[in-house]
Amino acid sequence: MSDPDYEQKLDELDHLLNDSDAPIQPDRVWTLLAEIAQHDLEPPGQTPA
């Protein structure tokens, strides 16, 4: 995942969790968390297979 994609996912997660006008979407929150966590576990500069 590229850095811009990572930042976009963080922003979307922040919006879903902190915007009182955002609809509750638990499946999307968990998906974003999994993708963000996977990115955080990747060595710098490595793209997942």
Side-chain angles (χ1 to χ4, degrees):
M1 170 186 331
S2 67
D3 287 339
D5 290 339
Y6 179 73
E7 292 295 327
Q8 186 260 337
K9 289 178 190 298
L10 286 174
D11 289 343
E12 183 180 354
L13 181 63
D14 180 62
H15 171 75
L16 290 171
L17 294 175
N18 295 309
D19 186 345
S20 61
D21 294 329
I24 297 172
Q25 301 179 41
D27 290 343
R28 184 65 183 144
V29 169
W30 285 113
T31 298
L32 287 166
L33 286 171
E35 292 171 356
I36 291 166
Q38 182 62 40
H39 177 273
D40 289 347
L41 293 174
E42 294 171 6
Q46 183 174 346
T47 305

